[in-house]
Amino acid sequence: EAGVAQSPRYKIIEKRQSVAFWCNPISGHATLYWYQQILGQGPKLLIQFQNNGVVDDSQLPKDRFSAERLKGVDSTLKIQPAKLEDSAVYLCASSLAGLQYFGQYFGPGTRLTVT
Amino acid sequence: QQQVKQSPQSLIVQKGGISIINCAYENTAFDYFPWYQQFPGKGPALLIAIRPDVSEKKEGRFTISFNKSAKQFSLHIMDSQPGDSATYFCAASRQNRDDKIIFGKGTRLHILP
């Protein structure tokens, strides 16, 4: 079974530029999560989708971050404009349904450096 | 109330020793407590999880001990091996498919060969 795919793996941009990350979840997984992991900290949930609907985006900085999941499969996370404090690893995860019963599977992440 | 506090921040253990990582939570509504293992350049992977209706769960060399009254839980790695060197995160969530999972800040474990 193929895992969660993410691209790009690394990205370096200057502040005020825009960037987009792509995620392809495990086939058949209805729930998709985007996390931000700052160096030395645990992952922090940015947004959770159930199929193509948003379940939780309470910690998404909506003035600069946006995410979509078209057709309930792939998802993109965009930052515009980027700030220095956005430097982090952006992790995508997916789950068949409820994470407690089916587990949550993470992709390798995209390491973003904002200079 | 949503925090999960994890300690220590880093840990060095001799090969064959026992590694112990502790976590504490405040929200008594939490009822699912997973541990994740993360290697450099990889995403976290679920290692083992426990629900508060049991006080201990063991899978191979990994054991979770759970103290509901103290609102604490810990991960014990028996016979620690160099391959166990990674960052470990405890987490907590509620038994509801829409509830988000709250992660601790992580413990960087290094096993000396």
Side-chain angles (χ1 to χ4, degrees):
Chain A
E1 174 182 81
V4 176
Q6 289 187 246
S7 68
R9 290 297 313 276
Y10 306 91
K11 190 73 177 179
I12 301 174
I13 62 172
E14 295 182 351
K15 59 183 179 183
R16 292 186 289 274
Q17 286 187 324
S18 62
V19 64
F21 312 126
W22 172 81
C23 173
N24 180 235
I26 293 173
S27 178
H29 280 197
T31 309
L32 186 146
Y33 313 79
W34 282 103
Y35 289 88
Q36 179 192 58
Q37 185 175 22
I38 293 174
L39 186 65
Q41 297 186 20
K44 182 184 84 171
L45 181 70
L46 293 175
I47 189 167
Q48 177 181 344
F49 291 96
Q50 182 71 21
N51 295 309
N52 60 349
V54 176
V55 173
D56 185 342
D57 64 356
S58 57
Q59 297 191 97
L60 186 73
K62 298 180 186 65
D63 58 332
R64 299 184 300 106
F65 286 64
S66 64
E68 60 181 7
R69 190 183 185 195
L70 298 177
K71 301 179 182 178
V73 183
D74 293 5
S75 178
T76 56
L77 175 69
K78 297 179 181 178
I79 307 175
Q80 182 179 13
K83 293 185 176 181
L84 295 176
E85 59 261 35
D86 298 332
S87 294
V89 175
Y90 291 85
L91 295 163
C92 179
S94 69
S95 174
L96 185 61
L99 67 90
Q100 293 196 20
Y101 298 98
F102 299 100
Q104 187 180 46
Y105 297 84
F106 283 84
T110 296
R111 181 176 296 277
L112 173 67
T113 301
V114 182
T115 62
Chain B
Q1 257 214 336
Q2 287 286 72
Q3 277 189 322
V4 176
K5 295 182 180 180
Q6 184 172 348
S7 63
Q9 193 172 2
S10 62
L11 181 62
I12 299 174
V13 175
Q14 290 281 352
K15 178 183 176 182
I18 302 173
S19 304
I20 302 174
I21 305 171
N22 301 299
C23 280
Y25 63 97
E26 298 173 350
N27 189 343
T28 55
F30 287 146
D31 59 2
Y32 174 68
F33 303 91
W35 284 89
Y36 286 80
Q37 180 187 56
Q38 186 176 29
F39 293 105
K42 305 288 187 182
L46 179 64
L47 190 62
I48 186 173
I50 196 169
R51 291 188 174 83
D53 52 343
V54 297
S55 60
E56 185 175 282
K57 183 173 181 179
K58 185 176 181 179
E59 289 184 3
R61 296 184 294 108
F62 299 91
T63 300
I64 299 179
S65 297
F66 186 83
N67 185 329
K68 188 174 181 178
S69 61
K71 292 186 286 185
Q72 295 176 346
F73 59 109
S74 60
L75 175 70
H76 294 232
I77 306 174
M78 312 300 288
D79 188 25
S80 299
Q81 299 297 312
D84 297 330
S85 296
T87 299
Y88 292 81
F89 295 95
C90 63
S93 77
R94 293 194 302 176
Q95 194 168 343
N96 179 307
R97 62 190 290 171
D98 295 340
D99 275 343
K100 59 178 171 283
I101 189 167
I102 309 297
F103 285 85
K105 290 192 173 184
T107 296
R108 182 176 283 185
L109 175 65
H110 182 64
I111 307 300
L112 297 173

PDB file of all heavy atoms in Angstrom, chain A residues 62-84:
ATOM      1  N   LYS A  62      -5.755  32.333   8.604  1.00  0.00           N
ATOM      2  CA  LYS A  62      -6.510  32.458   7.352  1.00  0.00           C
ATOM      3  C   LYS A  62      -6.167  33.720   6.561  1.00  0.00           C
ATOM      4  O   LYS A  62      -6.553  33.821   5.388  1.00  0.00           O
ATOM      5  CB  LYS A  62      -8.007  32.421   7.654  1.00  0.00           C
ATOM      6  CG  LYS A  62      -8.464  31.106   8.285  1.00  0.00           C
ATOM      7  CD  LYS A  62      -9.942  31.117   8.568  1.00  0.00           C
ATOM      8  CE  LYS A  62     -10.362  29.867   9.319  1.00  0.00           C
ATOM      9  NZ  LYS A  62      -9.769  29.779  10.678  1.00  0.00           N
ATOM     10  N   ASP A  63      -5.455  34.652   7.192  1.00  0.00           N
ATOM     11  CA  ASP A  63      -5.068  35.841   6.438  1.00  0.00           C
ATOM     12  C   ASP A  63      -3.965  35.542   5.429  1.00  0.00           C
ATOM     13  O   ASP A  63      -3.768  36.276   4.468  1.00  0.00           O
ATOM     14  CB  ASP A  63      -4.621  36.950   7.390  1.00  0.00           C
ATOM     15  CG  ASP A  63      -3.455  36.527   8.281  1.00  0.00           C
ATOM     16  OD1 ASP A  63      -3.334  35.307   8.553  1.00  0.00           O
ATOM     17  OD2 ASP A  63      -2.682  37.399   8.703  1.00  0.00           O
ATOM     18  N   ARG A  64      -3.256  34.413   5.643  1.00  0.00           N
ATOM     19  CA  ARG A  64      -2.153  34.101   4.735  1.00  0.00           C
ATOM     20  C   ARG A  64      -2.146  32.656   4.264  1.00  0.00           C
ATOM     21  O   ARG A  64      -1.526  32.325   3.272  1.00  0.00           O
ATOM     22  CB  ARG A  64      -0.817  34.414   5.417  1.00  0.00           C
ATOM     23  CG  ARG A  64      -0.648  35.873   5.800  1.00  0.00           C
ATOM     24  CD  ARG A  64       0.724  36.152   6.376  1.00  0.00           C
ATOM     25  NE  ARG A  64       0.994  35.367   7.579  1.00  0.00           N
ATOM     26  CZ  ARG A  64       1.791  34.339   7.625  1.00  0.00           C
ATOM     27  NH1 ARG A  64       2.421  33.942   6.529  1.00  0.00           N
ATOM     28  NH2 ARG A  64       1.997  33.699   8.760  1.00  0.00           N
ATOM     29  N   PHE A  65      -2.810  31.777   4.996  1.00  0.00           N
ATOM     30  CA  PHE A  65      -2.836  30.355   4.661  1.00  0.00           C
ATOM     31  C   PHE A  65      -4.194  29.994   4.058  1.00  0.00           C
ATOM     32  O   PHE A  65      -5.235  30.464   4.519  1.00  0.00           O
ATOM     33  CB  PHE A  65      -2.622  29.485   5.901  1.00  0.00           C
ATOM     34  CG  PHE A  65      -1.205  29.457   6.427  1.00  0.00           C
ATOM     35  CD1 PHE A  65      -0.616  30.596   6.922  1.00  0.00           C
ATOM     36  CD2 PHE A  65      -0.491  28.261   6.453  1.00  0.00           C
ATOM     37  CE1 PHE A  65       0.685  30.578   7.423  1.00  0.00           C
ATOM     38  CE2 PHE A  65       0.804  28.227   6.960  1.00  0.00           C
ATOM     39  CZ  PHE A  65       1.390  29.375   7.443  1.00  0.00           C
ATOM     40  N   SER A  66      -4.146  29.127   3.060  1.00  0.00           N
ATOM     41  CA  SER A  66      -5.383  28.582   2.510  1.00  0.00           C
ATOM     42  C   SER A  66      -5.141  27.131   2.123  1.00  0.00           C
ATOM     43  O   SER A  66      -4.003  26.733   1.840  1.00  0.00           O
ATOM     44  CB  SER A  66      -5.854  29.384   1.295  1.00  0.00           C
ATOM     45  OG  SER A  66      -4.918  29.281   0.245  1.00  0.00           O
ATOM     46  N   ALA A  67      -6.197  26.354   2.138  1.00  0.00           N
ATOM     47  CA  ALA A  67      -6.075  24.942   1.760  1.00  0.00           C
ATOM     48  C   ALA A  67      -7.352  24.506   1.079  1.00  0.00           C
ATOM     49  O   ALA A  67      -8.429  25.029   1.365  1.00  0.00           O
ATOM     50  CB  ALA A  67      -5.806  24.077   2.989  1.00  0.00           C
ATOM     51  N   GLU A  68      -7.197  23.571   0.181  1.00  0.00           N
ATOM     52  CA  GLU A  68      -8.369  23.010  -0.480  1.00  0.00           C
ATOM     53  C   GLU A  68      -8.145  21.529  -0.744  1.00  0.00           C
ATOM     54  O   GLU A  68      -7.016  21.052  -0.834  1.00  0.00           O
ATOM     55  CB  GLU A  68      -8.671  23.751  -1.784  1.00  0.00           C
ATOM     56  CG  GLU A  68      -7.559  23.709  -2.821  1.00  0.00           C
ATOM     57  CD  GLU A  68      -7.918  24.494  -4.080  1.00  0.00           C
ATOM     58  OE1 GLU A  68      -8.949  25.181  -4.110  1.00  0.00           O
ATOM     59  OE2 GLU A  68      -7.145  24.407  -5.044  1.00  0.00           O
ATOM     60  N   ARG A  69      -9.246  20.835  -0.855  1.00  0.00           N
ATOM     61  CA  ARG A  69      -9.193  19.408  -1.172  1.00  0.00           C
ATOM     62  C   ARG A  69     -10.292  19.148  -2.197  1.00  0.00           C
ATOM     63  O   ARG A  69     -11.421  18.823  -1.857  1.00  0.00           O
ATOM     64  CB  ARG A  69      -9.419  18.555   0.078  1.00  0.00           C
ATOM     65  CG  ARG A  69      -9.130  17.081  -0.176  1.00  0.00           C
ATOM     66  CD  ARG A  69      -9.410  16.229   1.036  1.00  0.00           C
ATOM     67  NE  ARG A  69      -9.019  14.853   0.776  1.00  0.00           N
ATOM     68  CZ  ARG A  69      -9.397  13.819   1.511  1.00  0.00           C
ATOM     69  NH1 ARG A  69     -10.180  14.007   2.561  1.00  0.00           N
ATOM     70  NH2 ARG A  69      -8.997  12.612   1.215  1.00  0.00           N
ATOM     71  N   LEU A  70      -9.918  19.286  -3.423  1.00  0.00           N
ATOM     72  CA  LEU A  70     -10.876  19.122  -4.503  1.00  0.00           C
ATOM     73  C   LEU A  70     -11.156  17.641  -4.728  1.00  0.00           C
ATOM     74  O   LEU A  70     -10.247  16.806  -4.655  1.00  0.00           O
ATOM     75  CB  LEU A  70     -10.337  19.764  -5.780  1.00  0.00           C
ATOM     76  CG  LEU A  70     -10.094  21.277  -5.690  1.00  0.00           C
ATOM     77  CD1 LEU A  70      -9.487  21.799  -6.975  1.00  0.00           C
ATOM     78  CD2 LEU A  70     -11.389  22.013  -5.367  1.00  0.00           C
ATOM     79  N   LYS A  71     -12.401  17.325  -4.972  1.00  0.00           N
ATOM     80  CA  LYS A  71     -12.841  15.956  -5.275  1.00  0.00           C
ATOM     81  C   LYS A  71     -12.531  14.990  -4.135  1.00  0.00           C
ATOM     82  O   LYS A  71     -12.538  13.771  -4.332  1.00  0.00           O
ATOM     83  CB  LYS A  71     -12.213  15.445  -6.574  1.00  0.00           C
ATOM     84  CG  LYS A  71     -12.545  16.300  -7.794  1.00  0.00           C
ATOM     85  CD  LYS A  71     -11.892  15.769  -9.041  1.00  0.00           C
ATOM     86  CE  LYS A  71     -12.199  16.664 -10.236  1.00  0.00           C
ATOM     87  NZ  LYS A  71     -11.540  16.203 -11.474  1.00  0.00           N
ATOM     88  N   GLY A  72     -12.218  15.517  -2.950  1.00  0.00           N
ATOM     89  CA  GLY A  72     -12.032  14.661  -1.788  1.00  0.00           C
ATOM     90  C   GLY A  72     -10.821  13.764  -1.839  1.00  0.00           C
ATOM     91  O   GLY A  72     -10.754  12.765  -1.104  1.00  0.00           O
ATOM     92  N   VAL A  73      -9.835  14.106  -2.673  1.00  0.00           N
ATOM     93  CA  VAL A  73      -8.635  13.260  -2.751  1.00  0.00           C
ATOM     94  C   VAL A  73      -7.404  14.110  -2.431  1.00  0.00           C
ATOM     95  O   VAL A  73      -7.087  14.332  -1.272  1.00  0.00           O
ATOM     96  CB  VAL A  73      -8.516  12.586  -4.129  1.00  0.00           C
ATOM     97  CG1 VAL A  73      -7.297  11.659  -4.172  1.00  0.00           C
ATOM     98  CG2 VAL A  73      -9.772  11.790  -4.425  1.00  0.00           C
ATOM     99  N   ASP A  74      -6.732  14.629  -3.467  1.00  0.00           N
ATOM    100  CA  ASP A  74      -5.530  15.434  -3.271  1.00  0.00           C
ATOM    101  C   ASP A  74      -5.863  16.740  -2.573  1.00  0.00           C
ATOM    102  O   ASP A  74      -6.999  17.231  -2.615  1.00  0.00           O
ATOM    103  CB  ASP A  74      -4.879  15.765  -4.620  1.00  0.00           C
ATOM    104  CG  ASP A  74      -4.312  14.544  -5.307  1.00  0.00           C
ATOM    105  OD1 ASP A  74      -4.513  13.432  -4.788  1.00  0.00           O
ATOM    106  OD2 ASP A  74      -3.674  14.704  -6.361  1.00  0.00           O
ATOM    107  N   SER A  75      -4.826  17.311  -1.957  1.00  0.00           N
ATOM    108  CA  SER A  75      -5.009  18.588  -1.277  1.00  0.00           C
ATOM    109  C   SER A  75      -3.801  19.486  -1.519  1.00  0.00           C
ATOM    110  O   SER A  75      -2.687  19.000  -1.729  1.00  0.00           O
ATOM    111  CB  SER A  75      -5.184  18.362   0.228  1.00  0.00           C
ATOM    112  OG  SER A  75      -5.313  19.590   0.926  1.00  0.00           O
ATOM    113  N   THR A  76      -4.037  20.783  -1.505  1.00  0.00           N
ATOM    114  CA  THR A  76      -2.949  21.750  -1.579  1.00  0.00           C
ATOM    115  C   THR A  76      -3.072  22.721  -0.409  1.00  0.00           C
ATOM    116  O   THR A  76      -4.177  23.086   0.007  1.00  0.00           O
ATOM    117  CB  THR A  76      -2.953  22.540  -2.891  1.00  0.00           C
ATOM    118  OG1 THR A  76      -4.235  23.170  -3.051  1.00  0.00           O
ATOM    119  CG2 THR A  76      -2.691  21.639  -4.077  1.00  0.00           C
ATOM    120  N   LEU A  77      -1.929  23.105   0.115  1.00  0.00           N
ATOM    121  CA  LEU A  77      -1.836  24.108   1.172  1.00  0.00           C
ATOM    122  C   LEU A  77      -1.013  25.265   0.606  1.00  0.00           C
ATOM    123  O   LEU A  77       0.065  25.030   0.064  1.00  0.00           O
ATOM    124  CB  LEU A  77      -1.159  23.524   2.412  1.00  0.00           C
ATOM    125  CG  LEU A  77      -0.888  24.485   3.577  1.00  0.00           C
ATOM    126  CD1 LEU A  77      -2.203  24.910   4.230  1.00  0.00           C
ATOM    127  CD2 LEU A  77       0.025  23.835   4.612  1.00  0.00           C
ATOM    128  N   LYS A  78      -1.517  26.472   0.718  1.00  0.00           N
ATOM    129  CA  LYS A  78      -0.827  27.634   0.165  1.00  0.00           C
ATOM    130  C   LYS A  78      -0.556  28.664   1.257  1.00  0.00           C
ATOM    131  O   LYS A  78      -1.371  28.850   2.174  1.00  0.00           O
ATOM    132  CB  LYS A  78      -1.662  28.275  -0.940  1.00  0.00           C
ATOM    133  CG  LYS A  78      -1.891  27.387  -2.145  1.00  0.00           C
ATOM    134  CD  LYS A  78      -2.740  28.085  -3.191  1.00  0.00           C
ATOM    135  CE  LYS A  78      -2.989  27.170  -4.390  1.00  0.00           C
ATOM    136  NZ  LYS A  78      -3.847  27.811  -5.413  1.00  0.00           N
ATOM    137  N   ILE A  79       0.590  29.314   1.119  1.00  0.00           N
ATOM    138  CA  ILE A  79       0.944  30.412   2.014  1.00  0.00           C
ATOM    139  C   ILE A  79       1.232  31.633   1.139  1.00  0.00           C
ATOM    140  O   ILE A  79       2.046  31.575   0.217  1.00  0.00           O
ATOM    141  CB  ILE A  79       2.194  30.096   2.857  1.00  0.00           C
ATOM    142  CG1 ILE A  79       2.031  28.774   3.595  1.00  0.00           C
ATOM    143  CG2 ILE A  79       2.437  31.220   3.866  1.00  0.00           C
ATOM    144  CD1 ILE A  79       3.279  28.331   4.363  1.00  0.00           C
ATOM    145  N   GLN A  80       0.520  32.718   1.420  1.00  0.00           N
ATOM    146  CA  GLN A  80       0.706  33.937   0.635  1.00  0.00           C
ATOM    147  C   GLN A  80       0.267  35.152   1.431  1.00  0.00           C
ATOM    148  O   GLN A  80      -0.932  35.269   1.736  1.00  0.00           O
ATOM    149  CB  GLN A  80      -0.103  33.833  -0.668  1.00  0.00           C
ATOM    150  CG  GLN A  80       0.068  35.032  -1.588  1.00  0.00           C
ATOM    151  CD  GLN A  80      -0.724  34.878  -2.880  1.00  0.00           C
ATOM    152  OE1 GLN A  80      -1.584  34.009  -3.011  1.00  0.00           O
ATOM    153  NE2 GLN A  80      -0.450  35.726  -3.843  1.00  0.00           N
ATOM    154  N   PRO A  81       1.155  36.066   1.807  1.00  0.00           N
ATOM    155  CA  PRO A  81       2.605  36.008   1.636  1.00  0.00           C
ATOM    156  C   PRO A  81       3.268  35.298   2.814  1.00  0.00           C
ATOM    157  O   PRO A  81       2.753  35.286   3.927  1.00  0.00           O
ATOM    158  CB  PRO A  81       2.980  37.495   1.640  1.00  0.00           C
ATOM    159  CG  PRO A  81       1.982  38.103   2.593  1.00  0.00           C
ATOM    160  CD  PRO A  81       0.708  37.314   2.411  1.00  0.00           C
ATOM    161  N   ALA A  82       4.422  34.718   2.570  1.00  0.00           N
ATOM    162  CA  ALA A  82       5.122  33.992   3.619  1.00  0.00           C
ATOM    163  C   ALA A  82       5.857  34.953   4.553  1.00  0.00           C
ATOM    164  O   ALA A  82       6.310  36.028   4.145  1.00  0.00           O
ATOM    165  CB  ALA A  82       6.119  33.011   2.999  1.00  0.00           C
ATOM    166  N   LYS A  83       5.950  34.543   5.823  1.00  0.00           N
ATOM    167  CA  LYS A  83       6.697  35.263   6.833  1.00  0.00           C
ATOM    168  C   LYS A  83       7.835  34.371   7.338  1.00  0.00           C
ATOM    169  O   LYS A  83       7.794  33.155   7.172  1.00  0.00           O
ATOM    170  CB  LYS A  83       5.801  35.660   8.005  1.00  0.00           C
ATOM    171  CG  LYS A  83       4.733  36.687   7.667  1.00  0.00           C
ATOM    172  CD  LYS A  83       3.988  37.092   8.929  1.00  0.00           C
ATOM    173  CE  LYS A  83       2.985  38.197   8.633  1.00  0.00           C
ATOM    174  NZ  LYS A  83       2.269  38.630   9.872  1.00  0.00           N
ATOM    175  N   LEU A  84       8.818  34.996   7.977  1.00  0.00           N
ATOM    176  CA  LEU A  84       9.957  34.240   8.499  1.00  0.00           C
ATOM    177  C   LEU A  84       9.499  33.131   9.444  1.00  0.00           C
ATOM    178  O   LEU A  84      10.053  32.021   9.431  1.00  0.00           O
ATOM    179  CB  LEU A  84      10.932  35.169   9.215  1.00  0.00           C
ATOM    180  CG  LEU A  84      11.638  36.213   8.347  1.00  0.00           C
ATOM    181  CD1 LEU A  84      12.510  37.124   9.223  1.00  0.00           C
ATOM    182  CD2 LEU A  84      12.496  35.557   7.277  1.00  0.00           C
TER     183      LEU A  84
END
